[in-house]
């Protein structure tokens, strides 16, 4: 089977999301679609999958034009999509999720679960997916949930399978298993479109690479001959620095001291299970780990958003265990939260309002009962300028900014004050490369000015580039401490999967 | 092919501390009830209570020493209380045991009230079924809607509309036409809810309240304008009488209670059975539940979320409308203003108590119906408790149930959330 996209153009009010994009996939090959967030990858795939309609251009299968009104049409034509956010019903079992929409039934619409389970087991065996057809999906680890999604498209006899950022939620070990699955699919004659912004993965798995930038095809590349530098330049449109420029740290006194901290998640389960560590002034400590291993709860406990079950948190020598977020904030802690849209900003507020969120109640932003809007506006305009937030004015709402600029807005608000401790969770998630460089340089600058910095990131590249020391978290515990200069990604990956560090770290 | 072995073990499911706390709380409630039984019903009580299980006195009589029954109940509750405290509940049996224990508590109470007297348990169970029927229809209607993610607070109004149309059309064109009209009217009310909630994404609670107010206003107005003027013409439908099912109706005790009923009760049995099968064993059910749990996932698999929601909400309305006709065509024989008296809301409580399962909702409705029947019987027995307080029993039971003594069962994940297609 051969799938072609020809001159696809899609306009949204104010933006051209896709501008005459061409793409071709054949059976038995892996085509990578590489691009930054907002480059138009998802729009293109949603058009292909019948979720959007293209304004111009056409989709051809084996040379014949086709038109999809909804995903049902696309599925029928032999396309399958594995979404970045899994489309699984948590309370259903694996087989129920797989058959949903194409259920084998006997007379009267009665489900034929026996036949369904058999077919799922058969697919699982053929592609080496190793799953239990009767397992309830919400009890499965993320890597296995992804296999459920793959079985879903195979059950629908898809010939071309689209993977949307498939490795974002996987451990490095799960990623290599996932690549094995991809190779197996390819050997079985499936065509694969692999959407990603990770350069390393593209070079490992793709047969051909198409790079999108601002809605246009910026170029094509052959993974055998191209380099990371070349690809990243195509992606961003200018030379980029792939390493963070920073000097050696000069650690001072202990600023953050966490002792035997245990924290429960929303359902009351132990999520951080007795963690102790220190962060000193003038150093960056990175916490690496697969998402969902207690990092979120750890950060929430340190910043006062969640009460710890037990343990101590000391900031600058004083006990802040169970203190309110405001008390902690006022002690000189800057917090870049993991979810900027939910926890970092009020999207419906303008930039001025967002900029004073952390101090509106006090001088100089307010006098008595009223807020000094003129002064607030001056401050906001100055910070927007200083921190390079790209916006038409400070009067637009935060929701109108791109992800990168939203993040820079938070950085501006948090770093503008005198800080002695910076807590940054996923500081560059979903942010364009230009903004990543900027935010990284700001974080290093905070360190050099004497702040203690704690970075939490699920991107291994980010942690190794920024951190002076790495702590690896797995299942609520710190399983290893590593030196980023001498520890390989492979070794870190093993720690992330739960292997504890040997007494001495081998080079 | 390469076999993959890591990471396939399911994540261990830990027990929710809230669940443990609840198990313990129930244990404490058992111990308190045991004390209540000892001090109120056991100590100082004399004489036997005669429970009549047959239709007539002397047919099947069970004589129980009231004090002995109370001591037995107290002992059982004490054991249950300790068990719950130690094991923090009985897992999935907790609610079933709790329900049974509550029935035993009620029987003990009745034994105390009827000590030295005789009491028709058969009559009370029959009135339990009668009181439970409209509540169960309300609960089933709720299950139908909420399983696809639409909260239906308007069930009360749909029952009321059904009751009115049953009486009105029933008077003019005969009871069967009345049933048909009531069913359709409930469906129309639900269609209105569906349009508001699904198409215009009005807050579902508000849309439901609007339906209740509309139904109350409309039926009250029409009954005062039409029915009061000429009750003989507009408000005197023939009642659909009892139809004993041959064979089943002659089973002792339960036969007359369950199988000598009118078509509404039989309809209820059929709906419970069909809905249970359909929801959990058919393609329609799988798709409906998927829409209520994760509409976006259903959408990406080519399932039409809107159509599924419309269809189920309207079906829920048809069920509520049919159930509403029970008031006028099944029991009373005429329409009175606001005669549903909150049964639709209690039906929603039954749905929650019954964990969004048709059989569960039906069983929960029986518990509420029992409470309702109990207060009527106690008033007849001349128990030394003010009748106003007795009349509160069904509502008190509802509050206790909904306030979470029975635990937070998990509603469909997308319950009450409008779906916006991208």
């Amino acid at each position: 089977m051969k799938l072609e996209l020809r001159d696809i153009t899609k306009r949204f009010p104010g933006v051209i999301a896709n501008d005459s994009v061409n793409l071709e996939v054949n059976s038995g090959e892996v085509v990578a679609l590489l691009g930054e967030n907002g480059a138009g990858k998802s729009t293109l795939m949603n058009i292909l999958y019948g979720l959007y309609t293209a304004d111009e251009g056409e989709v051809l299968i084996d040379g014949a034009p086709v038109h999809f009104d909804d995903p049902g049409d696309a599925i029928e034509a032999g396309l399958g999509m594995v979404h970045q956010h899994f489309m699984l019903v948590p309370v259903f079992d694996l087989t129920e999720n797989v058959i949903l929409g194409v259920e084998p039934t006997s007379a009267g619409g009665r489900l034929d679960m026996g036949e369904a389970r058999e077919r799922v087991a058969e697919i699982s065996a053929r592609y080496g997916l190793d799953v239990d057809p009767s397992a309830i999906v919400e009890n499965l680890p993320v890597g296995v949930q992804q296999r459920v999604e793959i079985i879903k498209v195979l059950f629908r006899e898809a010939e071309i399978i689209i993977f949307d950022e498939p490795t974002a939620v996987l451990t490095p070990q799960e990623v290599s298993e996932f690549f094995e699955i991809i190779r197996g699919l390819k050997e079985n004659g499936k065509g694969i479109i692999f959407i990603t912004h990770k350069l390393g993965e593209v070079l490992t798995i793709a047969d051909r690479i198409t790079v999108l930038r601002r809605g246009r095809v910026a170029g094509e590349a052959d993974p055998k001959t191209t380099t990371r530098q070349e690809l990243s330049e195509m992606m961003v449109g200018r030379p980029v620095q792939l390493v963070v420029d920073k000097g050696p740290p000069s650690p001072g006194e202990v600023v953050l001291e966490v002792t035997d901290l245990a924290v429960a998640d929303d359902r009351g389960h132990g999520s951080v299970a007795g963690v102790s560590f220190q962060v000193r002034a003038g150093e960056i400590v990175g916490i690496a780990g697969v998402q969902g291993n207690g990092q979120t709860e750890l950060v929430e406990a340190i910043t006062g958003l969640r009460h710890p079950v037990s343990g101590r948190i000391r900031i600058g020598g004083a006990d802040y265990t169970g203190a309110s977020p405001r008390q902690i904030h006022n002690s000189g802690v800057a917090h870049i939260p993991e979810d900027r849209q939910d926890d970092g900003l009020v999207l419906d507020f303008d930039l001025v309002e967002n900029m004073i969120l952390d101090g509106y109640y006090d001088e100089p932003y307010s006098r008595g009962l009223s807020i000094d809007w003129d002064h607030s506006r001056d401050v906001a305009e100055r910070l927007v300028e200083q921190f390079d937030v790209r916006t038409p004015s400070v009067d637009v709402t935060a929701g109108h900014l791109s992800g990168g600029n939203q993040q820079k807005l938070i950085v501006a608000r948090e770093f503008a004050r005198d800080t002695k401790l910076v807590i940054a969770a996923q500081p560059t998630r979903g942010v364009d490369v230009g903004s990543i460089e900027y935010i990284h340089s700001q974080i290093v600058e905070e360190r050099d000015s004497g702040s203690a910095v704690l970075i939490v990131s699920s991107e291994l590249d980010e942690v190794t580039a920024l951190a002076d020391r790495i702590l690896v978290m797995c299942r609520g515990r710190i399983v290893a401490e590593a030196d980023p200069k001498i520890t390989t990604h492979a070794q870190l990956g093993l720690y992330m999967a739960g292997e504890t560090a040997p007494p001495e770290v081998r080079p | 092919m390469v076999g993959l072995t890591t990471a396939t073990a399911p994540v261990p499911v830990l027990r929710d501390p809230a669940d443990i706390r609840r198990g313990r709380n129930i244990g404490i409630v058992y111990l308190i009830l045991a004390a209540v039984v000892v001090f109120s019903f056991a100590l100082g009580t004399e004489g036997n209570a005669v429970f009549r299980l047959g239709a007539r006195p002397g047919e099947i009589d069970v004589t129980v020493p009231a004090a002995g029954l109370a001591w037995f109940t107290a002992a059982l509750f004490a054991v249950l209380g300790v068990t719950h405290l130690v094991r923090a509940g009985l897992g999935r049996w907790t609610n079933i045991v709790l329900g049974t224990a509550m029935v035993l508590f009620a029987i003990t109470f009745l034994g105390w009230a009827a000590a030295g007297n005789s009491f028709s348990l058969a009559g009370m169970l029959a009135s339990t079924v009668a009181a439970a029927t409209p509540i169960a229809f309300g609960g089933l209607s709720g299950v139908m809607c909420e399983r696809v993610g639409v909260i239906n607070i308007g069930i009360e109004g749909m029952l009321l509309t059904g009751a009115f149309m049953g009486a009105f059309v029933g008077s003019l064109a005969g009871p069967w036409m009345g049933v048909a009209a009531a069913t359709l009217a409930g469906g129309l009310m639900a269609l209105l809810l569906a349009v508001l909630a699904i198409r215009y994404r009005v807050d579902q609670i508000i849309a439901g309240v609007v339906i209740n107010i509309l139904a109350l206003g409309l039926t009250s107005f029409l009954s005062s304008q039409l029915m009061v003027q000429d009750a003989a013409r507009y408000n005197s439908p023939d009642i659909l009488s009892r139809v004993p099912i041959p064979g089943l109706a002659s089973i002792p005790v339960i036969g007359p209670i369950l199988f000598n009923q009118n078509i509404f009760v039989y309809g209820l049995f059929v709906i419970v059975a069909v809905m249970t099968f359909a929801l959990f064993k058919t393609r329609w059910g799988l798709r409906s539940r998927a829409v209520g749990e994760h509409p976006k996932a259903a959408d990406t698999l080519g399932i039409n979320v809107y159509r599924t929601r419309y269809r189920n909400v309207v079906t829920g309305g048809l069920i509520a409308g049919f159930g509403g006709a029970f008031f006028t065509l099944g029991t009373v024989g005429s329409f009175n203003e606001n005669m549903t008296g909150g049964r639709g809301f209690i039906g929603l409580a039954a749905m929650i108590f019954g964990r969004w399962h048709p059989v569960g909702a039906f069983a929960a409705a029986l518990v509420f119906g029992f409470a309702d029947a109990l207060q009527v019987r106690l008033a007849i027995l001349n128990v030394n408790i003010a009748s106003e307080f007795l009349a509160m029993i069904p509502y008190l039971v509802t509050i206790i149930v909904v306030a979470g003594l029975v635990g937070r069962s998990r509603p469909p994940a997308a319950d009450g959330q409008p779906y916006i297609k991208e």
Side-chain angles (χ1 to χ4, degrees):
Chain A
M1 185 162 143
K2 176 178 180 175
L3 173 75
E4 285 169 276
L5 294 171
R6 265 193 209 156
D7 296 323
I8 298 286
T9 299
K10 175 74 180 173
R11 298 181 196 87
F12 290 114
V15 252
I16 302 181
N18 289 148
D19 189 358
S20 16
V21 175
N22 291 291
L23 187 71
E24 186 189 312
V25 197
N26 294 295
S27 294
E29 69 169 353
V30 179
V31 174
L33 188 58
L34 183 67
E36 289 200 82
N37 288 293
K41 293 171 297 184
S42 300
T43 306
L44 189 66
M45 289 307 119
N46 284 336
I47 289 169
L48 182 54
Y49 204 53
L51 288 165
Y52 295 156
T53 312
D55 297 324
E56 286 161 36
E58 55 184 355
V59 178
L60 297 97
I61 289 180
D62 292 331
V66 286
H67 181 76
F68 305 143
D69 284 322
D70 59 52
D73 292 351
I75 292 167
E76 194 139 318
L79 297 185
M81 172 115 111
V82 174
H83 297 264
Q84 182 180 3
H85 303 287
F86 298 152
M87 292 292 170
L88 298 171
V89 180
V91 295
F92 281 11
D93 76 20
L94 194 153
T95 303
E96 287 174 327
N97 266 295
V98 169
I99 63 173
L100 188 59
V102 286
E103 305 83 352
T105 51
S106 49
R110 185 181 175 147
L111 295 173
D112 192 342
M113 290 306 286
E115 193 206 315
R117 278 185 222 289
E118 246 168 62
R119 278 186 59 195
V120 169
E122 186 193 313
I123 291 171
S124 166
R126 172 144 45 110
Y127 294 93
L129 296 171
D130 189 23
V131 296
D132 168 11
S134 309
I136 300 294
V137 162
E138 65 183 341
N139 298 336
L140 295 173
V142 174
V144 181
Q145 292 193 6
Q146 184 171 58
R147 292 182 207 166
V148 182
E149 287 283 14
I150 296 172
I151 295 174
K152 254 163 85 172
V153 299
L154 293 173
F155 190 87
R156 287 159 176 76
E157 291 167 349
E159 288 303 315
I160 305 280
I161 305 174
I162 305 161
F163 287 93
D164 188 5
E165 299 277 1
T167 58
V169 289
L170 303 180
T171 63
Q173 272 66 34
E174 284 177 324
V175 169
S176 50
E177 287 178 356
F178 171 70
F179 283 168
E180 283 305 316
I181 295 173
I182 295 279
R183 291 193 185 100
L185 292 170
K186 190 172 123 176
E187 278 161 27
N188 277 274
K190 307 292 183 193
I192 311 279
I193 302 179
F194 189 100
I195 303 175
T196 186
H197 66 276
K198 295 185 181 171
L199 303 169
E201 293 178 354
V202 182
L203 293 171
T204 316
I205 194 74
D207 297 314
R208 288 192 290 118
I209 302 170
T210 296
V211 183
L212 271 190
R213 184 173 79 236
R214 294 187 188 174
R216 298 174 140 266
V217 174
E220 301 197 355
D222 180 346
K224 286 186 215 61
T225 56
T226 190
T227 61
R228 287 169 80 115
Q229 191 64 39
E230 197 176 281
L231 285 175
S232 64
E233 282 186 36
M234 250 192 246
M235 224 163 103
V236 182
R238 61 179 170 78
V240 255
Q241 222 181 340
L242 289 173
V243 285
V244 177
D245 184 17
K246 70 179 171 77
S250 47
E253 86 272 25
V254 173
V255 175
L256 173 68
E257 185 174 14
V258 172
T259 319
D260 294 330
L261 189 73
V263 190
D265 66 13
D266 290 335
R267 297 169 65 195
H269 297 167
S271 163
V272 177
V275 161
S276 300
F277 64 91
Q278 297 179 336
V279 185
R280 293 172 178 276
E283 70 166 348
I284 300 177
V285 173
I287 294 191
V290 182
Q291 256 181 72
N293 275 280
Q295 302 97 314
T296 305
E297 289 78 11
L298 174 67
V299 166
E300 286 178 347
I302 296 173
T303 53
L305 295 168
R306 186 180 287 273
H307 278 283
V309 176
S310 62
R312 287 265 153 261
I313 298 164
R314 298 172 73 82
I315 297 170
D319 190 344
Y320 278 91
T321 314
S324 73
R326 183 172 286 181
Q327 285 168 331
I328 292 170
H329 179 84
N330 286 345
S331 76
V333 176
H335 177 206
I336 301 176
E338 179 178 308
D339 187 332
R340 61 175 164 270
Q341 304 202 328
D342 271 357
D343 300 329
L345 298 169
V346 181
L347 293 183
D348 291 333
F349 276 13
D350 66 28
L351 303 197
V352 180
E353 290 166 323
N354 271 297
M355 202 65 97
I356 65 168
L357 272 184
D358 64 337
Y360 65 89
Y361 52 86
D362 208 354
E363 301 267 352
Y365 298 127
S366 69
R367 282 183 314 241
L369 289 175
S370 67
I371 290 178
D372 183 348
W373 287 112
D374 289 339
H375 179 72
S376 303
R377 195 186 162 83
D378 290 345
V379 171
E381 278 174 346
R382 182 168 54 77
L383 291 177
V384 160
E385 177 78 31
Q386 186 187 332
F387 285 86
D388 191 33
V389 182
R390 310 264 170 90
T391 175
S393 84
V394 293
D395 299 317
V396 301
T397 62
H400 275 91
L401 300 185
S402 72
N405 283 307
Q406 288 179 353
Q407 197 71 342
K408 284 194 275 187
L409 180 64
I410 295 174
V411 169
R413 183 182 70 211
E414 297 294 324
F415 288 4
R417 301 175 306 129
D418 267 348
T419 55
K420 62 181 178 207
L421 173 63
V422 173
I423 314 269
Q426 318 290 355
T428 58
R429 176 181 286 172
V431 166
D432 58 284
V433 171
S435 302
I436 291 176
E437 285 178 324
Y438 182 80
I439 291 168
H440 282 174
S441 71
Q442 287 295 317
I443 289 173
V444 172
E445 207 168 286
E446 280 291 320
R447 179 199 76 168
D448 292 343
S449 70
S451 291
V453 181
L454 182 69
I455 302 284
V456 177
S457 176
S458 51
E459 299 263 347
L460 218 42
D461 286 335
E462 175 161 56
V463 179
T464 47
L466 269 181
D468 302 314
R469 280 196 294 139
I470 296 178
L471 305 172
V472 183
M473 264 187 102
C474 180
R475 299 200 189 106
R477 295 174 195 282
I478 290 178
V479 292
E481 175 169 347
D483 181 341
K485 285 192 286 298
I486 56 169
T487 316
T488 61
H489 272 40
Q491 186 60 44
L492 285 171
L494 287 175
Y495 296 152
M496 285 162 77
E499 188 168 303
T500 44
E504 12 179 347
V505 179
R506 284 166 304 212
Chain B
M1 254 339 285
V2 186
L4 302 169
T5 48
T6 57
T8 48
V11 178
V13 184
L14 298 168
R15 228 177 129 193
D16 190 345
D19 190 43
I20 295 173
R21 217 175 308 128
R22 180 187 153 240
R24 300 245 155 85
N25 286 346
I26 293 178
I28 293 167
V29 170
Y30 275 125
L31 293 180
I32 293 170
L33 285 179
V36 169
V37 169
V38 168
F39 289 108
S40 305
F41 308 150
L43 294 174
T45 304
E46 282 169 24
N48 292 335
V50 181
F51 290 118
R52 271 189 279 120
L53 295 176
R56 281 171 298 280
E59 201 174 320
I60 311 167
D61 286 353
V62 179
T63 307
V64 183
L69 176 65
W71 284 115
F72 169 76
T73 304
L76 186 71
F77 278 21
V79 171
L80 280 174
V82 172
T83 316
H84 275 73
L85 281 178
V86 173
R87 297 189 45 190
L90 300 174
R92 59 200 197 87
W93 291 97
T94 309
N95 277 3
I96 295 166
V97 172
L98 185 67
T100 317
M102 288 306 117
V103 170
L104 183 63
F105 179 81
I107 290 174
T108 310
F109 179 46
L110 285 173
W112 167 77
N117 223 323
S118 84
F119 176 81
S120 170
L121 200 57
M124 177 161 157
L125 292 178
S127 44
T128 294
V129 173
T133 300
I135 297 171
F137 277 116
L140 292 171
S141 173
V143 171
M144 201 72 191
C145 300
E146 297 209 359
R147 277 287 181 175
V148 290
V150 178
I151 293 177
N152 186 352
I153 297 287
I155 290 172
E156 174 76 6
M158 294 171 196
L159 286 177
L160 191 61
T161 313
F164 174 84
M165 290 303 281
F168 183 66
V169 177
S171 306
L172 294 175
W176 289 105
M177 288 307 288
V179 170
T183 308
L184 272 179
L188 277 177
M189 283 300 213
L191 182 63
L192 176 61
L193 173 76
V195 171
L196 289 175
I198 300 167
R199 172 114 192 247
Y200 294 105
R201 296 183 201 121
V202 176
D203 183 291
Q204 295 175 5
I205 307 285
I206 293 173
V209 170
V210 165
I211 292 206
N212 288 334
I213 295 171
L214 176 71
L216 181 60
L218 213 56
T219 55
S220 300
F221 172 75
L222 289 174
S223 82
S224 68
Q225 290 301 304
L226 283 172
M227 292 178 163
V228 174
Q229 316 297 334
D230 193 350
R233 182 153 179 222
Y234 296 116
N235 197 12
S236 52
D238 293 332
I239 291 183
L240 288 166
S241 51
R242 289 164 187 274
V243 187
I245 298 181
L248 292 176
S250 48
I251 299 171
V253 189
I254 63 159
I257 295 167
L258 294 180
F259 302 112
N260 184 13
Q261 292 286 4
N262 55 34
I263 61 129
F264 293 101
V265 178
Y266 298 142
L268 185 61
F269 296 159
V270 171
I271 292 171
V272 169
V274 170
M275 201 192 284
T276 305
F277 175 79
L279 266 180
F280 300 102
K281 297 285 176 207
T282 69
R283 172 163 63 192
W284 169 85
L286 190 74
R287 292 183 174 189
S288 297
R289 287 183 290 132
V291 165
E293 293 286 349
H294 196 333
K296 187 149 190 212
D299 195 10
T300 55
L301 295 172
I303 295 167
N304 189 324
V305 174
Y306 295 138
R307 195 192 303 154
T308 308
R309 287 190 166 174
Y310 269 108
R311 193 175 53 198
N312 283 37
V313 170
V314 170
T315 310
L318 295 173
I319 293 171
F322 177 71
F326 170 79
F327 286 96
T328 46
L329 297 174
T331 48
V332 179
S334 64
F335 180 82
N336 305 311
E337 254 181 53
N338 197 19
M339 71 187 303
T340 47
R343 297 307 195 294
F345 295 116
I346 299 184
L348 282 173
M351 169 194 75
I352 295 169
F353 191 17
R355 305 194 164 213
W356 285 268
H357 192 291
V359 174
F362 176 62
L366 285 176
V367 172
F368 293 128
F370 186 81
D372 200 6
L374 183 67
Q375 57 102 357
V376 174
R377 295 283 145 164
L378 288 176
I380 296 169
L381 272 179
N382 262 329
V383 177
N384 204 6
I385 302 174
S387 63
E388 287 82 0
F389 284 104
L390 292 177
M392 288 179 197
I393 291 176
Y395 304 97
L396 270 180
V397 173
T398 310
I399 288 172
I400 292 168
V401 163
V402 177
L405 180 63
V406 294
R408 286 219 66 73
S409 46
R410 185 155 71 164
D415 206 4
Q417 293 169 10
Y419 180 67
I420 303 165
K421 203 174 161 70
E422 279 175 13

